[in-house]
Amino acid sequence: MQSLQQQIKVYEEEIQAFQPQNAQELEAYRIKFLGTKGIVKQILGEMKNVPGDQKKEAGQLLNAFKQLAEEKWESNKHLQEGSNKKESNIDLSLPGSQVQMGTRHPLRMVENKMVGIFEKLGFSVASGPEIEDDWHNFGSMNLPEHHPARDMQDTFYVSQNPDWLLRTHSSSIQARVMENEQPPIRVVCPGRVYRNETISARAHCFFHQMEGLYIDKNVSFADLKQTLYYFVTEMFGANTKVRFRPSYFPFTEPSAEMDISCTVCGGDGCSLCKHTGWVEILGCGMVHPNVLRNFNIDPEVYTGFAFGMGVERITQLKYQVNDLRLYSQNDIRFLRQFESI
Ligand code: DAH
């Protein structure tokens, strides 16, 4: 019993003096005193050698020792918790990983701007299917059977008899709108169109157009000119000049093409405008009476104007992109250049 008392005393002193500095030291302590083969268990085992009349006293001694050993461990547990966090490999001081933001595609940005300008004039936005039938793409637009635009070389046919095709121009959306609405009609129709062209810097088998259509009583060519003039000054600045040249489209009569003063040289002459000072941006005209009739709109009561322009063309003039292929190659070095616009 005496030797047990002395043993415990020595260990108690050791425990009292013990000041663990880290989780490893604490764990070594735990194993030494509180582990399954630890000192507390060992001394407990020695209880059987204590004579019966001293067992009670020895039991109290042992309990107090066990409590002391456990308290020391409990009061230093925070070391262990701290070290657990470290072991989970999370370094809270590391800088966060950056989220890569995407950028809007230049064509979409320009299209949004174009739509926004016409919305200010009271136009709403309409859309239509990219796979069209012959009637909406050609027939209803007053393109006669033998018109060269229907040629297999220009048009991607999906099927024949019945003819399904990839729309060749956004004018097919006009047809969809007139089919479903009665005047007054005032819409812009942006969308992707397809033509069977060999891909090069200046041509592509798909590109984007925006159609405009305005039908009401007393709509005149002067309204068309003023609307387009407003668009140009909003898009390219107040100093931009416009001019109209007579032209031909089956769906408009009279028809015109509109040029603007070159956005690169301001009209002095450069390679973009082929030294003429002018660049063509769109086709337009007064909606042909046959087109109105095709949708049961009386040309004696209503008149209207229409226009169609290429989004790639407008983007080229705004940002001097000189190769159409760049728009669909998805080269991040190209796309990133429009980040801050
Ligand atoms: N659809 C024509 C094209 O693809 C563009 C066009 C010209 C549309 C005159 C019109 C228009 O609405 O009036 O080249």
Side-chain angles (χ1 to χ4, degrees), residues 169 171 174 195 209 211 249 251-252 283-285 306-308:
H169 56 178
S171 303
Q174 272 194 46
R195 284 185 204 172
Q209 286 190 332
E211 193 81 5
F249 298 102
F251 27 88
T252 42
C284 60
F307 56 86

